[in-house]
Every structure is written in C-alpha cells, then in structure tokens.
Amino acid sequence: IMASALERELAKVRLGSGALGTTTTAPAPVSTSGAPALAGKPPLSLARGGVRASVLYDARQAANIGVETLLDRAENGLIELIGLNKRFTSYRSSLFSRKALGVDRETLLPNELSELNAQIHSFLRDLSPFLLKPEALDCLEYLVRKYRVNAYNVHSVLYCCLPYHRADAFRRIIGILYVRGTRWAWVEGLQK
C-alpha cells in the first residue's frame, strides 16, 4: 500500500502537478525564518527535543544515546564519506564540529538560521547518492537529534531520501518526519 500511494504522488511530481511542487529538478527555497521549513510550529515536545526521533534506533535506545555520542559516530561516518567524495570536507568545520554542539537553532538570529538551513540543505543534497550507506545514516541520525531536521528541514530530508522510496531506510526516515499541516501532509498516510 505504501509503495503504491508514494508512486501515485511521485507520478504527480513527474507531471509537474503534485504535492511535491512543479518541478523535479530543484527544491523550493529553504526556510530562513525561525519557523520550520514549509510548516507551522511543530509540537513543543518535538521542537525542544522531548521526542527522541531516530532513524537508527527505537525510542528507548535513542533516549539513552547522547548527542555527543551521535556526533562521534557522525564524525566517523563523515570521514568515510569524505573518502568517497571530497565535497563532504567542508561540513567537518560546520555542521559536524564540536563547536556546533553549543548551537541551539531556536536561539539563532534570522541570518544565522538561514545559513544553518542552507548548510543542512547542501549537506542533504550531497548525502543523497550515499544515503543507504551506514555512515550516511549515522550522519543523518546526528542531524535529526542535533538540528531536528525531521521537523525543520522536511523538504530537504524528503528530497534526500525520495530516490530510495523502496528501501527500508526510506520508511524509517519518513516515519519520523513532522509533516502535519505542510504541503508534505500526504506523507502522513505512509508513516503508519
């Protein structure tokens, strides 16, 4: 059922008239405001990290893993990704730096938030060809926990994972996305 519903939505995209927008080549602009990209505010528990969304772990395991541990794993994954594509090098000093552990996206100024969203969008675009690799999923796991990309960068996450709509990783990723009230609301039917 999930594949057929998704295939219908993807067919709309190919025709340029679906929920995903009018083209398949370029995503819509990344949100530069403090609000989640393309949506109203997510529930406070999600916005503040009260819910431990996870691509790799069940809720109980995720609750017992700290963001520092996830960064360690993501750093190792990033090293592997750099070996595959040097483009990932720039993210070591930004999204995956130790300094970033002290950053709370909820307190960023609009220009800082815009820069963060642009970096996340760029990283997810670069990550897409490698998404099914374990090291890529380690990096995505960190982005979910640290930057709550599952709530604030839904558009970019979906564009990263849509090519893999038949893979188990896709199901896990869309299962944690906050899409209620967004143009991605049709994904809710696939989350069950």
Side-chain angles (χ1 to χ4, degrees):
I1 292 176
M2 181 170 75
S4 62
L6 179 58
E7 286 169 350
R8 284 192 301 274
E9 292 299 328
L10 291 175
K12 290 179 187 176
V13 170
R14 284 186 211 103
L15 296 174
S17 62
L20 294 176
T22 58
T23 68
T24 59
T25 56
V30 177
S31 172
T32 57
S33 69
L38 312 172
K41 283 276 191 198
L44 186 59
S45 63
L46 181 61
R48 293 292 179 198
V51 174
R52 292 289 184 225
S54 176
V55 173
L56 299 176
Y57 309 103
D58 66 33
R60 192 174 75 218
Q61 289 173 313
N64 291 320
I65 299 173
V67 70
E68 295 87 3
T69 300
L70 293 177
L71 177 57
D72 291 340
R73 292 174 184 169
E75 286 175 323
N76 290 333
L78 194 61
I79 290 168
E80 295 295 321
L81 290 169
I82 291 168
L84 298 171
N85 186 331
K86 299 297 182 208
R87 184 179 274 182
F88 288 105
T89 304
S90 65
Y91 303 112
R92 284 180 100 173
S93 61
S94 58
L95 294 175
F96 297 94
S97 70
R98 291 286 161 179
K99 182 180 173 186
L101 284 173
V103 173
D104 179 0
R105 78 177 297 145
E106 302 264 329
T107 62
L108 294 177
L109 297 172
N111 64 321
E112 295 169 327
L113 186 58
S114 178
E115 183 179 327
L116 174 65
N117 283 332
Q119 288 175 356
I120 289 169
H121 178 76
S122 177
F123 177 78
L124 290 172
R125 183 194 60 228
D126 292 342
L127 188 68
S128 184
F130 307 99
L131 187 63
L132 297 183
K133 295 186 172 295
E135 52 270 22
L137 293 173
D138 284 337
C139 291
L140 181 59
E141 181 74 18
Y142 173 73
L143 295 180
V144 167
R145 177 71 66 85
K146 174 64 186 134
Y147 300 109
R148 296 178 301 280
V149 297
N150 59 307
Y152 291 106
N153 303 93
V154 172
H155 181 82
S156 297
V157 172
L158 276 170
Y159 270 93
C160 176
C161 72
L162 272 176
Y164 307 100
H165 66 275
R166 293 187 183 268
D168 287 337
F170 176 81
R171 290 178 193 86
R172 291 193 312 267
I173 293 166
I174 66 161
I176 63 168
L177 296 179
Y178 177 76
V179 295
R180 185 170 298 137
T182 72
R183 70 177 174 179
W184 304 104
W186 60 269
V187 172
E188 278 188 294
L190 306 175
Q191 291 178 320
K192 296 173 171 85

